[in-house]
Amino acid sequence: MNQGTKRSIFRWIHLIFSIPILGYIYSPFERLPDYAPATRFVFLPVMVITGLWMWKGHVLRRLIRRDRHSDCYV
């Protein structure tokens, strides 16, 4: 799978998981306790992880690749 396809998948995951967070922000105060656990422990972490991966994923991939190659020569 090429990098463009991976980035597109992460972008769609990021957008889809942002919809419930918008619903949490704009919902009435009486309904907030119903959405709070799912928003805190599922939707927000997934959005943060996909956002960071899209922003700095190239650095992480480079570090992973460098560590893998350095172990081969030890």
Side-chain angles (χ1 to χ4, degrees):
M1 185 180 317
N2 63 16
Q3 294 300 323
T5 306
K6 288 180 186 178
R7 185 170 176 87
S8 179
I9 291 169
F10 280 121
R11 185 179 297 132
W12 277 106
I13 291 171
H14 190 78
L15 290 173
I16 289 170
F17 275 76
S18 68
I19 294 169
I21 293 175
L22 291 174
Y24 176 79
I25 292 170
Y26 291 110
S27 66
F29 288 120
E30 300 82 34
R31 307 252 344 234
L32 284 181
D34 298 336
Y35 296 119
T39 302
R40 287 183 191 147
F41 301 118
V42 177
F43 300 120
L44 189 63
V46 169
M47 271 196 47
V48 169
I49 290 169
T50 56
L52 286 173
W53 186 262
M54 287 188 296
W55 179 48
K56 290 290 185 179
H58 64 283
V59 175
L60 183 61
R61 282 189 301 272
R62 189 179 322 140
L63 288 173
I64 292 170
R65 194 175 320 129
R66 185 177 303 154
D67 289 340
R68 189 180 310 155
H69 290 297
S70 66
D71 291 339
C72 293
Y73 298 113
V74 172

